[in-house]
Amino acid sequence: GQNIDQPTEMTATEGAIVQINCTYQTSGFNGLFWYQQHAGEAPTFLSYNVLDGLEEKGRFSSFLSRSKGYSYLLLKELQMKDSASYLCAVPRGSYIPTFGRGTSLIVHP
Amino acid sequence: GAGVSQSPSNKVTEKGKDVELRCDPISGHTALYWYRQSLGQGLEFLIYFQGNSAPDKSGLPSDRFSAERTGGSVSTLTIQRTQQEDSAVYLCASSLDGVGETQYFGPGTRLLVL
């Protein structure tokens, strides 16, 4: 089965750095996805990690450690528009992603 | 290019009625997913279609829920005899072939069962 754990809510200040953690337990691993979901909108893709290490993409970076069942999403130079829910997802088998409940990030001035 | 579209965007219905939700995936995407998201909850997988293969229905919560995908493109999710607990946002997503591929989500249908 799948078990994905993320903090429910985080707050941070505009311009700061925030790290959103995700731990998972899965019987087979086919990569880990991060999605961003603004209130009332559909999720949008942020990153996909299948190998260990850090992948940087502009202000957002995602890290994976397969041996620890752990990932994090790092957001730098936070902007107000980054206030959203961040969803960690791990495919079950080869194709069905299991989503965590998401971490609601609140960025304040 | 066009993204995933869903209709209707909002649906209010009375308990016991049937509803049909439609999803138009991105052209060329062979994989199509339906999810349900209740207020403050994560995404709950419902059903998965891949090409001409038999769909994976393992996430459907009851036999009141069914879905079909005609011609490998448009999909319809049907909920029969709706209950108040069916109220949620129903999201459709498509991906190129479903294997470790990025999913592109539609805007969702907000269903309210009174």
Side-chain angles (χ1 to χ4, degrees):
Chain A
Q2 310 279 112
N3 192 33
I4 298 175
D5 210 17
Q6 305 179 236
T8 303
E9 187 176 294
M10 298 181 71
T11 59
T13 305
E14 193 175 14
I17 298 173
V18 70
Q19 177 175 314
I20 302 174
N21 296 326
C22 171
T23 58
Y24 64 90
Q25 295 171 335
T26 180
S27 53
F29 185 74
N30 287 291
L32 183 145
F33 291 86
W34 283 97
Y35 286 82
Q36 179 190 60
Q37 186 176 26
H38 285 100
E41 298 183 12
T44 55
F45 169 80
L46 287 178
S47 67
Y48 174 58
N49 293 66
V50 65
L51 299 176
D52 290 349
L54 184 69
E55 297 211 2
E56 299 186 64
K57 194 184 294 184
R59 294 189 300 113
F60 292 8
S61 303
S62 56
F63 171 83
L64 175 67
S65 168
R66 289 172 294 174
S67 61
K68 296 181 180 177
Y70 168 68
S71 173
Y72 67 71
L73 183 69
L74 192 70
L75 292 74
K76 302 176 187 175
E77 301 167 19
L78 280 173
Q79 302 175 9
M80 298 297 289
K81 68 178 182 179
D82 297 330
S83 293
S85 184
Y86 291 86
L87 309 175
C88 174
V90 177
R92 167 165 63 89
S94 63
Y95 53 79
I96 301 177
T98 299
F99 284 82
R101 289 177 174 248
T103 299
S104 177
L105 174 65
I106 300 168
V107 180
H108 55 81
Chain B
V4 178
S5 61
Q6 292 185 246
S7 60
S9 53
N10 291 281
K11 177 72 177 178
V12 180
T13 191
E14 293 179 348
K15 177 182 172 181
K17 301 279 190 181
D18 297 352
V19 294
E20 279 191 358
L21 313 180
R22 177 188 167 105
C23 171
D24 281 87
I26 293 173
S27 177
H29 281 193
T30 62
L32 187 147
Y33 305 76
W34 282 99
Y35 296 91
R36 178 169 70 175
Q37 187 172 35
S38 302
L39 192 63
Q41 300 295 312
L43 290 170
E44 176 188 1
F45 165 77
L46 297 177
I47 189 169
Y48 165 76
F49 294 91
Q50 170 58 283
N52 295 321
S53 302
D56 184 324
K57 305 179 184 180
S58 60
L60 295 178
S62 78
D63 59 7
R64 295 187 296 105
F65 288 72
S66 63
E68 60 179 26
R69 187 179 185 192
T70 53
S73 181
V74 173
S75 176
T76 302
L77 177 70
T78 301
I79 309 173
Q80 295 178 308
R81 305 181 302 281
T82 52
Q83 303 294 312
Q84 289 182 330
E85 61 263 28
D86 299 335
S87 296
V89 177
Y90 289 82
L91 290 162
C92 173
S94 70
S95 67
L96 199 55
D97 67 11
V99 180
E101 290 285 337
T102 300
Q103 294 187 22
Y104 296 87
F105 284 83
T109 294
R110 285 157 185 77
L111 175 67
L112 178 61
V113 182
L114 300 176

